[in-house]
Amino acid sequence: MSAKKFQNAIAPTRQEDYPEWYQQVIKAADMAEMSSVRGCMVIKPWGYGIWEKIQRGMDDLIKETGHENAYFPLFIPLSFMELEAGHVEGFAKECAIVTHHRLIEKDGHLVPTGELEEPLIVRPTSETIIGRSFAKWIQSYRDLPLLINQWANVVRWEMRPRIFLRTTEFLWQEGHTAHSTEKEAMEETLMILDKVYRTFVEETLAIPVIVGEKTPAERFPGAVNTYCLEAMMQDRKALQAGTSHYLGQNFSRAFEIQFSNQAGEQELAYTTSWGVSSRLVGALVMVHSDDDGLRLPPKIAPKQVVIIPMLNKPGEEEAIMAYSNAVADDIRKQSWAGAPVSVLVDKRDMRPIDKKWQWVKRGAPIRLEIGARDMEANAVFMGRRDRSLKAAESVSRDQVADLVVSSLTEIQNNYFALAKMLLDEHTHSDIDSLAAFEKFFTPENSEKPEIHGGFVRTKYCGNPECEEKAAALKVTIRCLPIDQSGSEGKCVICGGSAKTDAVWAKAY
RNA sequence: CGGGGUGUGGCGCAGUCUGGCAGCGCACUUGCUUUGGGAGCAAGAUGUCGGAGGUUCAAAUCCUCUCACCCCGACCA
């Protein structure tokens, strides 16, 4: 294969075919692949390493805000789903159902037998089964608040799976809490949204978000209010990066989550639920990556520094490896973002140039190439993933550890700044008529739509009909931002008087 | 569930119209050369051509049935 064939490591580029580019980045980074089970993915070590970093960081925040982890069953009795009307409607169409518990051999094939008296559904979310437990655990106001989180897999039989973004089975955390007052439950709902989700997504994943409330059309089935984080991908479409629900007394009524208050009266508890999923990995890909593959913010990279020994000539190996390991140890002594810098010395039996490209495609923030020449000069050759490949340069050995630390901070900040620039540049507040709105969201090439559109932040009258009208353009209200301006204006769709700010976009 | 498409070594595909030895590129293995910027040459290994049935001297190719997957809609963390 000749070098000229590669202008970029990933084909097609983002401009050429964004959805295909997305899949190629994941493949080239060796993160995950679709499995032989419909809609289900295999998460490979590099992709799972990213998820583990997400879990660790998020879990710390969840615990710092007073929650404890627990675990509930994968299966939910079918009858539980019937108890909350809105909930059934939302999830009934996408459930996996277990109806048998045994196999027998018949004509050389295994067929299910032993039909269950009551079918079990594989959890699409756990409000119902956790609600039943909460009802048992809560007797008195002294048992409240009850603050529980679960790390789990869930199954939703979606029509069109897309790797990491919408798979049949996915990984997530789901928080479930119960409170004695509406006020406290609402505070919890919003606290999680800001202190846990927004903080983590912006500061660790380097993804800027718009925080807001969903309209009734986009609300979680069974919730009173649903709040969310919305992020902009590089094709300017929105991706929901986290969600927090105020459930009011809907689930406590259905599952009899009652407590005696201080006056000795029975009251229904107020509950919340909130979650982020492995979809965040897809968001990382679509926000930060470029036409050479994945780019990982250092705080989420499973390895922050990769050392590639240039083992080209026989006889040099031992000395270069010793030098490389010594450099690695120096860097490991450095602390960054509250933890030792993680370093991998890639000593695999591969051509160094192939290793280098592999680490570029996997998005390692910093590459250090070490060969005989560097060793003689008491130096290393350092490349940063946020800069062009040709911008790599020689750095003296005694400066490298400090430079790595300052570079990690710079890379983390650069990725956030770039993503923020994209979000700001393509968020428009000056679209004030239906004609302008339609023009903005209509691609020039309808056969093969180019990257177009973005977020429109404008007034909305609150009429669901206006929302439906936008849906014809595949545009939905992503959220009603928390930071409302309070000003009065005209609804962008119907022109009627409107006070509410809304963010409109095409979404994943 | 509607409309369109595809199933051929690990991956990507040609071959199907007009039946006649199962092919190509990449990746993989081995050897030699090369070696700080996605190397070259040579040899090698890898296949129930999605499945079942039929037509035929002969089927990847034709016919019937079937399964799976992909794209466009409805659904969605």
Side-chain angles (χ1 to χ4, degrees):
Chain A
M1 204 188 290
S2 75
K4 279 168 196 152
K5 200 168 163 187
F6 296 91
Q7 288 164 337
N8 300 103
I10 303 296
T13 63
R14 287 164 289 181
Q15 282 299 328
E16 286 163 357
D17 186 343
Y18 192 84
E20 182 61 23
W21 164 85
Y22 169 73
Q23 305 206 69
Q24 292 303 324
V25 170
I26 287 168
K27 192 172 166 186
D30 207 25
M31 298 167 79
E33 60 197 17
M34 277 306 190
S35 71
S36 43
V37 183
R38 193 208 98 105
C40 296
M41 62 178 165
V42 174
I43 307 177
K44 300 177 80 173
W46 190 246
Y48 199 75
I50 296 166
W51 176 242
E52 285 181 309
K53 296 276 280 192
I54 291 175
Q55 277 188 306
R56 236 166 262 172
M58 191 73 82
D59 198 58
D60 286 345
L61 286 172
I62 289 169
K63 285 176 179 151
E64 277 166 27
T65 47
H67 306 81
E68 292 179 300
N69 285 337
Y71 189 79
F72 297 85
L74 170 68
F75 302 117
I76 300 176
L78 187 60
S79 58
F80 281 29
M81 285 297 279
E82 296 165 350
L83 295 173
E84 212 292 326
H87 201 63
V88 191
E89 219 171 288
F91 286 107
K93 280 180 277 184
E94 51 181 53
C95 284
I97 303 129
V98 180
T99 53
H100 294 77
H101 66 89
R102 203 148 37 89
L103 293 168
I104 52 165
E105 206 183 320
K106 200 176 175 186
D107 305 328
H109 292 284
L110 293 172
V111 294
T113 185
E115 192 171 350
L116 301 181
E117 217 160 284
E118 179 180 4
L120 298 171
I121 64 163
V122 180
R123 62 179 166 219
T125 179
S126 305
E127 275 76 8
T128 56
I129 191 108
I130 292 180
R132 181 47 54 90
S133 289
F134 276 19
K136 281 194 218 166
W137 297 354
I138 295 166
Q139 314 292 333
S140 144
Y141 70 93
R142 293 194 180 89
D143 298 324
L144 296 172
L146 182 56
L147 308 172
I148 297 293
N149 178 62
Q150 148 165 282
W151 288 95
N153 58 340
V154 288
V155 167
R156 296 183 188 176
W157 216 264
E158 303 288 0
M159 299 298 178
R160 287 184 51 198
R162 275 160 73 65
I163 195 157
F164 280 117
L165 299 178
R166 191 172 46 235
T167 47
T168 302
E169 178 191 18
F170 58 93
L171 305 179
W172 78 349
Q173 75 43 232
E174 48 179 325
H176 296 268
T177 69
H179 307 261
S180 52
T181 66
E182 173 174 359
K183 181 169 174 285
E184 192 186 302
M186 186 57 90
E187 280 168 6
E188 164 81 7
T189 307
L190 296 175
M191 184 279 291
I192 289 292
L193 197 66
D194 183 64
K195 294 271 178 338
V196 178
Y197 291 168
R198 189 196 57 74
T199 299
F200 183 79
V201 171
E202 292 197 334
E203 293 178 11
T204 301
L205 303 185
I207 298 175
V209 291
I210 294 178
V211 179
E213 182 178 355
K214 287 291 188 191
T215 61
E218 302 272 328
R219 199 173 277 158
F220 175 77
V224 175
N225 306 92
T226 287
Y227 300 85
C228 63
L229 309 180
E230 294 288 330
M232 184 187 283
M233 306 297 106
Q234 288 182 77
D235 63 353
R236 303 181 210 159
K237 286 167 80 172
L239 183 75
Q240 184 172 316
T243 181
S244 184
H245 315 291
Y246 170 65
L247 304 174
Q249 294 176 310
N250 290 350
F251 284 87
S252 54
R253 195 174 300 115
F255 292 92
E256 298 169 320
I257 307 172
Q258 297 183 66
F259 66 97
S260 333
N261 62 21
Q262 291 182 60
E265 300 155 342
Q266 287 290 303
E267 258 194 84
L268 290 173
Y270 298 84
T271 66
T272 80
S273 70
W274 27 276
V276 298
S277 72
S278 42
R279 168 180 273 191
L280 284 178
V281 180
L284 272 175
V285 173
M286 288 206 291
V287 170
H288 298 306
S289 300
D290 65 11
D291 295 335
D292 284 326
L294 188 63
R295 299 205 302 177
L296 288 172
K299 285 188 189 173
I300 211 69
K303 296 291 171 193
Q304 292 157 333
V305 179
V306 174
I307 295 180
I308 303 164
M310 308 302 285
L311 304 173
N312 287 322
K313 299 187 186 77
E316 292 176 343
E317 189 166 330
E318 208 172 308
I320 292 176
M321 282 309 296
Y323 185 84
S324 299
N325 286 325
V327 171
D329 285 340
D330 284 353
I331 297 171
R332 287 192 188 105
K333 284 179 196 141
Q334 302 291 315
S335 171
W336 181 74
V341 175
S342 62
V343 187
L344 175 74
V345 180
D346 187 354
K347 55 186 177 203
R348 287 176 300 168
D349 179 18
M350 273 171 68
R351 289 160 39 82
I353 188 68
D354 292 334
K355 286 187 206 173
K356 172 186 157 176
W357 276 103
Q358 206 173 78
W359 288 113
V360 168
K361 289 185 282 193
R362 287 176 159 211
I366 293 177
R367 300 179 309 277
L368 299 178
E369 298 165 29
I370 295 180
R373 211 186 291 164
D374 305 292
M375 207 161 55
E376 274 166 36
N378 206 33
V380 302
F381 198 68
M382 174 168 153
R384 285 168 49 159
R385 188 62 181 85
D386 64 335
R387 293 183 178 169
S388 117
L389 299 197
K390 293 190 179 107
E393 58 192 2
S394 190
V395 172
S396 88
R397 163 81 197 268
D398 46 351
Q399 288 175 344
V400 68
D402 285 341
L403 192 58
V404 159
V405 167
S406 60
S407 298
L408 289 174
T409 302
E410 285 175 26
I411 296 169
Q412 181 80 29
N413 293 343
N414 277 351
Y415 287 164
F416 182 82
L418 283 171
K420 184 81 169 74
M421 219 190 302
L422 180 91
L423 175 63
D424 291 344
E425 189 181 340
H426 297 291
T427 300
H428 297 257
S429 315
D430 54 350
I431 289 173
D432 55 2
S433 71
L434 182 56
F437 187 87
E438 281 173 344
K439 183 158 184 279
F440 182 74
F441 284 114
T442 305
E444 283 175 26
N445 182 354
S446 59
E447 295 283 306
K448 195 175 180 295
E450 73 282 1
I451 292 176
H452 68 282
F455 288 7
V456 170
R457 186 173 175 145
T458 183
K459 291 291 167 190
Y460 167 57
C461 64
N463 187 340
E465 277 176 31
C466 288
E467 219 177 336
E468 275 168 42
K469 208 164 171 187
L473 293 165
K474 295 188 206 167
V475 175
T476 48
I477 296 179
R478 298 323 304 154
C479 70
L480 312 173
I482 291 279
D483 56 330
Q484 290 284 316
S485 66
S487 64
E488 214 159 316
K490 281 183 179 172
C491 173
V492 70
I493 305 294
C494 68
S497 83
K499 273 189 186 163
T500 311
D501 294 326
V503 173
W504 309 73
K506 294 188 180 178
Y508 277 95

